């Protein structure tokens, strides 16, 4: 079972359309009108992990992925300080989930720090699916084409694509890596809602995902 074959739509509750794209219903089938501005960003863009701003005072958990696992974020910087802060926390939430999968538990500081509400529940269930399947993963996941919409001072939406074509399932016991060739299902469109808490952290509170979205497939 490949990493990309797991039902990523389970990572977020299928609720209402949040913003930006016609993802209403949160199904896992591709939609012709799943459009994100910037989704065709060049692969030559310099990857960068989200980083806290100098004015960030939140006591953030240390999330360090193992050397064989990488999250690359392309185009996750704008000229807008607030949008950059939102994007950074959206990226950290994604890395927190990957960290939990690798650690084999959803009870990690990163999960409870960067998620809340429905998104925390569904992301924990997603991690459990990996545990039930007896697998973890290795390799690189590329996140690109982000778009931010600010609703008000404490809520916003972020959509982006993920390329899992260079990430591979690994059996937890035998450590054997499944390098089955990538296909369209290696590309995922995420559409998330974030809410700012009292610490100034933009927590992911809800979202949908579409595996094999035509917006993201290269």
């Amino acid at each position: 079972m490949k990493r990309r074959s797991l039902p990523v739509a389970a990572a977020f509750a299928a609720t209402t359309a949040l913003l930006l794209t016609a993802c209403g219903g949160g199904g896992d089938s591709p939609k012709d009108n799943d459009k994100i501005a910037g989704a065709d960003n060049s692969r030559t863009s310099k990857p960068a992990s989200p980083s806290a701003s100098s004015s960030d005072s939140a006591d953030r958990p240390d999330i360090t992925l193992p050397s064989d696992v990488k999250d690359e974020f392309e185009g996750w910087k704008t000229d807008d300080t607030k949008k950059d802060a939102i994007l950074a926390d959206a990226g950290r939430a994604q890395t927190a989930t990957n960290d939990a999968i690798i650690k084999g538990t959803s009870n990690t500081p990163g999960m409870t720090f960067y998620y809340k509400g429905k998104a925390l529940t569904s992301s924990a269930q997603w991690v459990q699916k990996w545990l039930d399947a007896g697998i973890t993963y290795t390799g690189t996941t590329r996140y690109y084409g982000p778009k931010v919409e600010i609703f008000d001072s404490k809520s916003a939406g972020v959509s982006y694509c993920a390329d899992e074509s260079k990430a591979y399932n690994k059996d937890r016991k035998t450590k054997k890596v499944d390098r089955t060739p990538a296909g369209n299902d290696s590309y995922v469109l995420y559409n998330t809602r974030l809410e700012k808490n009292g610490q100034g952290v933009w927590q992911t509170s809800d979202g949908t995902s579409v595996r094999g979205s035509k917006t993201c497939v290269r």
Side-chain angles (χ1 to χ4, degrees):
M1 181 163 52
K2 305 185 296 294
R3 176 173 192 253
R4 45 194 172 269
S5 70
L6 284 171
V8 75
F12 291 114
T15 54
T16 59
L18 301 177
L19 79 162
L20 306 179
T21 66
C23 286
D28 58 1
S29 60
K31 294 177 175 59
D32 291 339
N33 55 355
D34 291 337
K35 302 298 182 184
I36 301 179
D40 58 347
N41 287 351
S42 171
R43 284 178 178 268
T44 60
S45 300
K46 182 179 181 181
S49 297
S51 58
S53 67
S54 58
S55 60
D56 193 319
S57 60
D59 185 15
R60 298 177 179 278
D62 179 25
I63 303 176
T64 304
L65 299 176
S67 60
D68 66 318
V69 177
K70 295 181 181 179
D71 282 353
E72 293 184 348
F73 296 86
E74 294 183 3
W76 286 60
K77 287 287 186 179
T78 70
D79 293 327
D80 186 299
T81 302
K82 186 172 184 178
K83 287 185 176 181
D84 284 348
I86 295 167
L87 282 173
D89 280 343
R92 294 183 187 114
Q94 185 67 71
T95 297
T97 300
N98 295 341
D99 175 63
I101 290 171
I102 293 164
K103 283 185 169 63
T105 176
S106 60
N107 187 26
T108 65
M111 289 284 285
T112 55
F113 193 88
Y114 291 112
Y115 288 99
K116 63 179 289 187
K118 293 178 181 178
L120 177 59
T121 299
S122 54
S123 294
Q125 292 171 343
W126 172 237
V127 173
Q128 187 60 48
K129 286 180 179 292
W130 287 78
L131 300 183
D132 292 345
I135 57 176
T136 179
Y137 79 99
T138 185
T140 299
T141 307
R142 185 173 61 94
Y143 302 99
Y144 60 97
K147 183 174 181 180
V148 184
E149 183 174 333
I150 298 175
F151 303 141
D152 53 43
S153 62
K154 292 188 177 181
S155 64
V158 174
S159 62
Y160 57 93
C161 289
D163 172 5
E164 300 176 351
S165 61
K166 294 183 179 179
Y168 307 96
N169 284 2
K170 182 169 69 173
D171 188 283
R172 287 188 183 276
K173 292 183 178 180
T174 67
K175 308 303 180 184
K176 182 180 179 180
V177 176
D178 179 0
R179 297 188 181 277
T180 303
N184 288 351
D185 63 347
S186 300
Y187 299 88
V188 187
L189 171 64
Y190 287 96
N191 192 1
T192 64
R193 177 182 176 88
L194 293 90
E195 298 177 7
K196 190 176 183 180
N197 67 12
Q199 293 180 280
V201 177
W202 288 89
Q203 293 179 298
T204 298
S205 61
D206 207 345
T208 61
S209 57
V210 180
R211 182 168 292 280
S213 168
K214 292 181 180 178
T215 299
C216 302
V217 172
R218 293 299 178 85

